[in-house]
Amino acid sequence: MEAMEANYGIISLLPPLIVIVLALKTKKTLLPLIIGVFIGVTIICNWNPFVAIPTLVTDYIAANLTSNSNINTLLIMCGAGGFVRMLKVTGAGQAFAKVATRGIKTKKGAQLATCGAALGFIYTEPGFVLGVVMRPVTEALGVARVKLAYIIDSLGCNMASLSPICSYGPYIVGLITAQLAALNLPEDQAWGVYARYIPYNFYAILAILTVLFVIIFKKAIGPMYLAELRSDKTGATKAPTDIPIVKEDDDVKFKDEDLRFSTFLVPMILLFATLFFVIFYTGDVMTNGILGSFTNAKISVAIACAMYVGAFGGIAVGVINKMFTFGEGIEKWIGGVVQIMEVNMVVIFAWALSSVAGTMGLKYFIAGLVESTGFAPQLIPAVVFAAGALISFATGSSWGTFALLMPISVPICHQFGIPIEIGVAAAVASGLIGDHCSPISDTTIKSSLASGSDHIQHVQTQIPYALTIGIATFVCFIVSAYTSNLIISFAVGIVICFGAMLVLDRVAKKKYQNYDFSAELQQAREEVVEVELVSAE
């Protein structure tokens, strides 16, 4: 597909813009993606819709399904669907929530516990497992689902970008190595550059600190304030009109006396035992050592295997406790996998959109704008970050943005005497912001799945935070370029982020403090009636 890449100029913005606008307008995800991808492929096929149909299937859907990493992602999501289903039908989630809430009594405690638990998954991108483990607790204590999604999403890719023992670390180091070779610098300095880049990854660090700030001081901005107010006043963790990305089985409930902690403990032990076994096996722990095995392991394969083995443990526990037969357990697991199919289609078309954007040369169009800016050299890292943010938001790809912008930012920084680790940080941070909040990012989709939230609501509640942190990051790069002082740069970024949270919290409070939740519920009931009437007709 790289050979087919061209530069369609400003037209290359059309497909992602159509998807984003339609998604936010219709509050749907799959249909806007299909429309945007089809329009993009039609443009590529010289505006011939008849040629576009087979081209879309062969070059933009089937082609993406030949990638091992993409296949692993789909397997993980299917496995997660089946695993979560087994935790639900055996009462494992309720059992864990019952035990956990003995020590965790408040919403703040549940959210901080989620942040703490994320550290336990720093060897991978916290998401599925973190959501599976903590959602029963946050749900029991009334934490809004979009808040859980925000926490998972904010900690996920950002923590991973700072972790040398997950897939992000070696990937970034690989890109750094290529740039060092191109600049005739010693390639063995790559890990050293990586270590020095970490404190300049302003976006990742500020995003993590902001999560802790809003939890500890109970601040919320934009639509998130309304979601939290709803949970405080009504106990509802989602709006009546929200449509979770995965259909739920609200009929699966257990009495307290029927709950057994073993239904949670056994699947979790199997999940983590399998996870670490596959990591150590694929990472060749005997040759590379424990830490080396993490950097060389096939983490996505490990997560997929863990989900399936953990689900089998759930089936076994259910059979032993005579909740169902083995055959019935398999059927229930399959039901959970089937529920994920629409999510898989969303991810597949998100990949297709990213490929369309690549074929149309969207990244080259935006990169060309960066190179022709004529800004002062000190502003290059900030400009790279801003341009990359547009690319990653429009394509939903962080790694693609890293790979595109690092060959631009690193040589320019080196040429003008700016530390190359700042160029690395600008490229990485620009990819993170899109991965954090784009409605077509697979990381954003995974966060909605893990939290059981409405995907578009997750996007809408998270964007104000991401934009605020993005603005602070942009300023940090400018301050860093002119002062060469990391402490001052961070101080400015923290003041902007935390100050904005305080101010915007007051704005949201003024806007939503008299919100009528009874009217919201009545509207939801009327919409349900309308749907039932249409179905009857």
Side-chain angles (χ1 to χ4, degrees):
M1 300 235 339
E2 290 293 327
M4 295 172 59
E5 287 190 352
N7 191 339
Y8 284 69
I10 197 170
I11 296 178
S12 62
L13 289 169
L14 191 59
L17 281 178
I18 288 173
V19 173
I20 292 168
V21 171
L22 285 179
L24 296 177
K25 180 70 175 177
T26 64
K27 301 187 184 300
K28 304 291 183 183
T29 307
L30 182 56
L31 182 59
L33 275 169
I34 293 173
I35 293 172
V37 170
F38 179 71
I39 290 175
V41 177
T42 299
I43 294 172
I44 293 168
C45 295
N46 296 317
W47 302 91
N48 188 328
F50 301 104
V51 175
I53 294 174
T55 302
L56 188 158
V57 173
T58 57
D59 292 357
Y60 295 94
I61 294 180
N64 277 304
L65 296 179
T66 61
S67 162
N68 285 336
S69 62
N70 288 353
I71 291 295
N72 286 336
T73 295
L74 296 178
L75 288 174
I76 289 172
M77 289 194 294
C78 288
F83 183 72
V84 171
R85 172 68 171 163
M86 297 318 301
L87 291 184
K88 197 156 194 175
V89 299
T90 59
Q94 286 180 253
F96 175 64
K98 180 182 177 182
V99 172
T101 49
R102 293 173 186 169
I104 305 173
K105 302 292 185 182
T106 64
K107 293 181 181 181
K108 180 191 291 189
Q111 293 172 65
L112 289 175
T114 302
C115 294
L119 293 173
F121 307 111
I122 200 167
Y123 48 83
T124 183
E125 183 181 327
F128 281 126
V129 182
L130 181 61
V132 169
V133 172
M134 294 307 301
R135 183 180 159 194
V137 180
T138 58
E139 193 81 8
L141 291 169
V143 177
R145 293 188 184 183
V146 288
K147 183 63 175 293
L148 176 60
Y150 160 67
I151 294 172
I152 293 171
D153 215 347
S154 297
L155 298 180
C157 55
N158 294 308
M159 287 183 66
S161 72
L162 302 172
S163 171
I165 58 173
C166 77
S167 56
Y168 273 66
Y171 177 72
I172 294 171
V173 169
L175 296 176
I176 293 172
T177 301
Q179 295 312 306
L180 291 177
L183 296 171
N184 294 317
L185 297 174
E187 296 179 31
D188 58 4
Q189 293 182 1
W191 278 104
V193 173
Y194 176 84
R196 296 194 299 274
Y197 124 88
I198 290 177
Y200 287 99
N201 191 346
F202 298 119
Y203 185 86
I205 297 172
L206 289 174
I208 294 169
L209 292 177
T210 300
V211 169
L212 295 173
F213 180 83
V214 298
I215 291 174
I216 293 171
F217 294 98
K218 296 183 179 180
K219 300 301 176 183
I221 66 176
M224 185 71 79
Y225 187 97
L226 179 61
E228 297 212 66
L229 184 65
R230 178 185 297 109
S231 67
D232 288 339
K233 289 193 172 184
T234 70
T237 58
K238 60 183 179 68
T241 54
D242 281 2
I243 303 175
I245 195 167
V246 177
K247 182 181 177 182
E248 298 183 306
D249 302 294
D250 294 327
D251 57 316
V252 183
K253 298 292 181 183
F254 288 79
K255 296 179 180 179
D256 282 354
E257 58 268 24
D258 295 330
L259 296 174
R260 297 179 177 87
F261 189 62
S262 61
T263 59
F264 176 82
L265 191 61
V266 171
M268 282 299 168
I269 289 176
L270 288 172
L271 182 144
F272 283 105
T274 303
L275 182 67
F276 286 109
F277 172 79
V278 177
I279 287 175
F280 292 146
Y281 175 74
T282 60
D284 195 359
V285 67
M286 300 301 293
T287 301
N288 299 313
I290 294 177
L291 291 179
S293 65
F294 280 98
T295 57
N296 290 279
K298 297 179 180 178
I299 298 291
S300 58
V301 174
I303 296 175
C305 293
M307 289 289 180
Y308 289 101
V309 174
F312 177 80
I315 295 173
V317 168
V319 173
I320 292 171
N321 289 314
K322 299 182 180 180
M323 297 177 179
F324 42 72
T325 65
F326 181 76
E328 290 171 341
I330 292 295
E331 289 181 2
K332 292 178 184 297
W333 176 79
I334 292 174
V337 173
V338 170
Q339 288 180 346
I340 299 296
M341 287 302 103
E342 182 176 346
V343 184
N344 280 350
M345 291 301 296
V346 169
V347 172
I348 289 169
F349 273 93
W351 291 333
L353 180 64
S354 181
S355 297
V356 167
T359 303
M360 296 184 73
L362 172 62
K363 56 188 179 182
Y364 300 124
F365 170 66
I366 296 179
L369 293 179
V370 174
E371 291 182 315
S372 62
T373 54
F375 285 112
Q378 292 87 345
L379 296 178
I380 290 298
V383 173
V384 167
F385 169 74
L390 293 176
I391 295 173
S392 59
F393 186 83
T395 63
S397 172
S398 58
W399 284 28
T401 305
F402 300 168
L404 166 69
L405 292 184
M406 214 171 287
I408 297 173
S409 60
V410 170
I412 291 177
C413 286
H414 180 68
Q415 179 181 351
F416 289 101
I418 301 172
I420 60 176
E421 53 264 27
I422 296 180
V424 173
V428 172
S430 70
L432 294 177
I433 186 171
D435 209 25
H436 187 187
C437 65
S438 172
I440 57 175
S441 164
D442 58 355
T443 302
T444 309
I445 296 168
K446 291 173 188 176
S447 298
S448 298
L449 170 62
S451 62
S453 64
D454 181 300
H455 180 56
I456 299 303
Q457 286 300 312
H458 167 44
V459 172
Q460 291 180 333
T461 53
Q462 182 164 255
I463 281 180
Y465 293 91
L467 287 178
T468 301
I469 299 164
I471 292 170
T473 300
F474 182 81
V475 175
C476 281
F477 277 119
I478 294 176
V479 174
S480 174
Y482 281 100
T483 66
S484 299
N485 191 307
L486 192 60
I487 295 177
I488 293 176
S489 302
F490 259 117
V492 171
I494 289 173
V495 167
I496 293 174
C497 285
F498 293 1
M501 293 300 116
L502 294 173
V503 172
L504 295 175
D505 175 79
R506 292 182 181 180
V507 173
K509 181 178 181 180
K510 185 177 180 180
K511 179 178 180 180
Y512 295 117
Q513 62 183 349
N514 297 317
Y515 190 86
D516 186 358
F517 290 104
S518 61
E520 180 184 74
L521 186 60
Q522 178 60 32
Q523 180 185 353
R525 288 171 178 166
E526 291 174 357
E527 290 178 357
V528 170
V529 171
E530 289 179 5
V531 171
E532 290 176 348
L533 289 174
V534 170
S535 299
E537 292 175 357

